[in-house]
Amino acid sequence: MNQTLQDEIIKKWHLENQFVISHIGAMGEANGLQYLLDACERLEKQNVTDIKFLIVGSGKTKPLLVSKSEKQNLQNIIFEDMIEKKRCPYIFRFSRYHHNEFFT
């Protein structure tokens, strides 16, 4: 693993010293990402600041999820467009939990 590349990813999304929950791939209704958004909201209400959700990809529900997170001013969720497949292992490495049923 390229530690420099991993450090760049962590720095880009300000994930230093964070418990990271990630999802990479499709963002459709079947992926259940609304539940992650609900968890983000609950954690923010409880002032939990060391857990971040990193959602990478695209799909039908992404615009709705992004809009809802912006309306709620959620600071613990990051949406990113698709990334190169070769970068995925770096995200898996620093994520404490990875949610994804359809990653290939």
Side-chain angles (χ1 to χ4, degrees):
M1 286 278 164
N2 182 334
Q3 187 64 39
T4 303
L5 182 56
Q6 181 172 323
D7 291 343
E8 286 176 17
I9 293 169
I10 291 170
K11 187 175 180 176
K12 175 184 177 182
W13 292 319
H14 308 286
L15 299 173
E16 300 89 352
N17 302 314
Q18 298 291 309
F19 184 99
V20 178
I21 299 168
S22 63
H23 171 87
I24 301 174
M27 292 188 200
E29 291 179 28
N31 297 99
L33 296 175
Q34 175 58 42
Y35 297 112
L36 294 183
L37 203 63
D38 293 343
C40 289
E41 183 179 4
R42 289 181 182 159
L43 290 168
E44 284 218 351
K45 285 181 180 177
Q46 296 175 15
N47 295 317
V48 176
T49 59
D50 60 348
I51 299 176
K52 298 281 187 198
F53 293 78
L54 175 59
I55 313 299
V56 180
S58 61
K60 183 179 177 181
T61 62
K62 184 176 182 177
L64 178 63
L65 295 167
V66 170
S67 175
K68 190 171 181 181
S69 72
E70 289 173 352
K71 285 179 185 173
Q72 295 174 348
N73 196 31
L74 298 177
Q75 300 299 306
N76 58 356
I77 189 164
I78 301 159
F79 288 96
E80 185 70 30
D81 292 329
M82 288 302 287
I83 59 172
E84 295 175 74
K85 204 170 195 174
K86 69 180 182 181
R87 292 182 176 251
C88 293
Y90 298 100
I91 293 174
F92 295 146
R93 188 170 178 192
F94 67 75
S95 295
R96 300 301 278 293
Y97 175 79
H98 181 74
H99 168 270
N100 196 333
E101 298 94 54
F102 301 112
F103 185 75
T104 56

